[in-house]
Amino acid sequence: MEITPNDIKFIRWIAHKFGYPLDEMEKYAYENYIPIAKPEVADFLSFIVKLKKPNNILEIGTAIGYSTIIMAKAYSEVSVVTIERDINLAEIAKENFKKAKVEDRIELICGEAQQVLPNLTKMYDLIFVDAAKGQYIEFYKELKRLLSKEGVILWDNILYKGYVVNEKNVKHKRRTIVYRMREFIEILYQDKTLYTVILPLGDGLAVSFKEE
């Protein structure tokens, strides 16, 4: 979801809270129209990492590494694998990891998540998904396979600009994504091995806990 001027004050508070180089990153993202985690989602990410203290995190959708750095800084012993399909954004993210001095705990894989995920074998305690919304259904089975017992998956932008709950004024080109997101939410709620809630954070954040 795009960052709006109303978000900037809160984002700068988040950036100050978590330190350099997040203040530079939020400015760059805003000026270059690069979606990054909404400020309240960023704060929740830090909270859940501090609370759960995961050994391994998997992130789908690195962008410039904003949320990656927040998770890495929240717990000094965590390792993060993050996937980004845009090679230019991936290079920017790598530089940001160095500036934040967390590069030794982050592995960035450049490629399409649908192609990368089947080749992963490590189990992850926390998974954060902030990628192409219409592909969440495709990610779903692979991410369940990679999720450790009592692990958590965070699905960002689950309400897709609010269109998922309010179909009024949905442009034709967005209807397919809206329908797929509704289908995906239904799949999550019907899955007896996951306990899922949707939190009113940012553009909607679904939190799935593995109960089996």
Side-chain angles (χ1 to χ4, degrees):
M1 186 173 182
E2 293 182 0
I3 301 300
T4 67
N6 291 332
D7 294 323
I8 295 302
K9 183 177 180 180
F10 194 12
I11 289 177
R12 286 178 177 160
W13 176 77
I14 294 290
H16 176 74
K17 180 178 179 181
F18 295 113
Y20 177 85
L22 294 178
D23 50 351
E24 291 184 355
M25 293 173 67
E26 59 87 6
K27 183 174 183 293
Y28 182 88
Y30 177 67
E31 292 177 346
N32 291 275
Y33 305 99
I34 298 173
I36 59 176
K38 297 283 277 186
E40 58 270 33
V41 173
D43 210 14
F44 184 79
L45 276 177
S46 179
F47 169 80
I48 199 71
V49 172
K50 289 177 182 293
L51 179 69
K52 190 167 181 58
K53 292 182 170 54
N55 292 315
N56 300 299
I57 293 176
L58 174 62
E59 178 183 45
I60 315 300
T62 316
I64 60 173
Y66 185 79
S67 53
T68 325
I69 291 173
I70 284 175
M71 291 187 290
K73 280 182 169 289
Y75 181 46
S76 61
E77 296 183 24
V78 71
S79 296
V80 183
V81 173
T82 183
I83 303 171
E84 174 54 51
R85 66 182 180 180
D86 187 314
I87 188 170
N88 295 319
L89 290 179
E91 290 303 315
I92 294 171
K94 289 178 181 178
E95 290 303 313
N96 287 329
F97 297 156
K98 291 178 182 178
K99 291 178 181 178
K101 298 181 180 180
V102 293
E103 74 274 16
D104 59 326
R105 294 187 286 118
I106 298 175
E107 177 186 357
L108 194 157
I109 301 173
C110 191
E112 293 287 347
Q114 300 97 313
Q115 300 173 5
V116 174
L117 291 175
N119 297 313
L120 298 181
T121 56
K122 184 185 296 183
M123 302 297 285
Y124 297 90
D125 307 310
L126 180 66
I127 299 176
F128 178 52
V129 188
D130 187 12
K133 312 313 165 194
Q135 297 174 3
Y136 278 21
I137 293 178
E138 280 70 32
F139 300 153
Y140 167 72
K141 287 186 178 179
E142 286 296 332
L143 294 183
K144 274 193 62 178
R145 176 182 66 84
L146 295 168
L147 187 64
S148 65
K149 185 178 180 181
E150 298 186 352
V152 174
I153 306 180
L154 306 176
W155 313 87
D156 202 12
N157 306 125
I158 197 74
L159 300 180
Y160 188 59
K161 304 179 187 293
Y163 295 134
V164 172
V165 293
N166 185 0
E167 198 174 348
K168 292 182 179 179
N169 302 319
V170 178
K171 294 181 180 180
H172 181 74
K173 65 180 181 179
R174 290 175 171 169
R175 288 176 186 168
T176 299
I177 295 179
V178 170
Y179 295 150
R180 286 178 67 82
M181 290 302 281
R182 286 178 177 172
E183 180 185 357
F184 176 62
I185 291 172
E186 187 67 22
I187 289 172
L188 286 180
Y189 278 127
Q190 290 181 356
D191 190 327
K192 302 303 182 184
T193 66
L194 295 175
Y195 182 80
T196 298
V197 296
I198 295 179
L199 304 178
L201 298 175
D203 195 24
L205 182 71
V207 181
S208 297
F209 172 74
K210 192 171 186 179
E211 294 192 298
E212 63 179 5

